[in-house]
Amino acid sequence: MMMKLSDVDLLEALERPECAPLREMFAVRRVARGQGIFWPDEQEDLVLVVKSGRFRVYLSYGGKEFTLAFLERGDIYSSHTGAHVQALADGEVLLADTRAFRRRMTDLPEVSAIMVRVLGQMLRSTFFLIEGLVFRDSNTRLAALLLEQAERAGSGDAPPDAPNAPDAPGTPDAHAHAPDKRHAMPPRPVQPGSGQIIRLDLTTEQLAGMVGATRQTVSTLLNDMIRSGILDRMGRGTYRVRDMDRLRELASA
């Protein structure tokens, strides 16, 4: 279940000397955590490139939300998709008028080739999302999401983790809800990737919206993974993978 739209870092392309005319079109905007950038009724037609931070693309209807993807450094997005884009952390984005960007891009074959790759990966990610929702149960979808985040974090693509960071004000201490170790399964030998920190920056309700399940279901599934020795809860929205092989088994069930 791929939640990142593309593996192409457009910032690297924009830093090339031949891309200077395109780079100069963008204006930098600082965004605070929780701040929205795009809305379904957005009037401006803008192209966005993430310079830093992490952003959530989601749909909202009738008080319910469904997360479609994450945007991170180098990712590109547009304001006319009909989705919300919200900052999950403080960051900066580059913004440019879509029509002007398109006209300038046609003069730069290298960037045009990159955009074709980006669009292809976005389409592939969309198909993976649909496949997960249609053919997999919520347990498999959740495991697949956690596995993807763990593998990306291990490759250095994910935001830096903060395993010792305190919980947000007013949040109960995570250790107060730690599972009873007497019921945990015997530890297995450490597998490659085990010990990886997953930092989601999401509430349980937002996480439930990503896998098409209820908050109660996701809470139960996470607690089951913790009790069975697959995960450790490090703090709000932060987990450590204890057994990567078993997480892969769940994700491919």
Side-chain angles (χ1 to χ4, degrees):
M1 186 169 184
M2 303 176 66
M3 299 307 298
K4 191 174 186 300
L5 289 180
S6 171
D7 293 328
V8 179
D9 188 341
L10 194 60
L11 286 178
E12 293 183 358
L14 291 176
E15 289 301 320
R16 299 173 184 172
E18 63 270 22
C19 293
L22 189 64
R23 184 172 63 246
E24 293 169 357
M25 297 178 55
F26 286 90
V28 179
R29 179 187 296 178
R30 293 185 178 180
V31 186
R33 177 175 181 172
Q35 181 179 345
I37 306 176
F38 294 158
W39 299 266
D41 57 352
E42 181 73 37
Q43 298 300 313
E44 293 182 286
D45 192 359
L46 300 174
V47 169
L48 172 152
V49 178
V50 178
K51 186 176 181 181
S52 64
R54 198 176 194 215
F55 300 82
R56 180 171 71 108
V57 181
Y58 68 97
L59 301 175
S60 179
Y61 181 77
K64 296 182 179 180
E65 295 180 358
F66 183 83
T67 299
L68 299 172
F70 291 133
L71 300 176
E72 295 168 3
R73 175 184 165 83
D75 283 338
I76 186 170
Y77 203 69
S78 175
S79 64
H80 63 269
T81 62
H84 298 261
V85 178
Q86 180 188 42
L88 293 175
D90 294 347
E92 291 185 334
V93 296
L94 305 179
L95 296 173
D97 178 76
T98 300
R99 286 169 294 184
F101 176 81
R102 185 168 58 243
R103 287 195 300 268
R104 188 64 60 87
M105 189 182 68
T106 57
D107 298 329
L108 299 168
E110 299 86 356
V111 177
S112 297
I114 291 173
M115 292 305 301
V116 170
R117 288 177 56 199
V118 169
L119 292 173
Q121 290 188 6
M122 285 183 175
L123 186 60
R124 179 169 173 259
S125 296
T126 302
F127 286 157
F128 268 98
L129 180 63
I130 294 172
E131 177 189 21
L133 290 173
V134 174
F135 298 111
R136 299 183 179 183
D137 61 25
S138 53
N139 190 30
T140 304
R141 293 196 297 268
L142 178 60
L145 171 62
L146 295 173
L147 177 63
E148 180 198 1
Q149 295 299 303
E151 290 178 337
R152 289 188 52 247
S155 68
D157 292 336
D161 57 68
N164 298 318
D167 287 343
T171 302
D173 186 352
H175 298 290
H177 301 283
D180 189 341
K181 297 299 182 182
R182 292 174 298 178
H183 299 290
M185 296 181 67
R188 291 187 177 188
V190 175
Q191 302 294 330
S194 296
Q196 182 60 59
I197 297 293
I198 303 173
R199 183 181 175 187
L200 296 173
D201 292 321
L202 298 171
T203 65
T204 304
E205 188 170 0
Q206 290 171 338
L207 183 57
M210 294 181 66
V211 297
T214 65
R215 182 183 185 279
Q216 292 77 9
T217 296
V218 168
S219 293
T220 299
L221 293 175
L222 286 171
N223 287 331
D224 286 346
M225 292 184 195
I226 291 168
R227 280 193 295 268
S228 63
I230 297 174
L231 299 176
D232 278 333
R233 180 179 282 116
M234 310 300 294
R236 189 179 70 170
T238 305
Y239 302 88
R240 185 192 301 275
V241 179
R242 294 181 60 189
D243 194 323
M244 187 71 91
D245 280 355
R246 289 169 67 196
L247 185 60
R248 288 194 181 97
E249 290 174 6
L250 281 180
S252 61

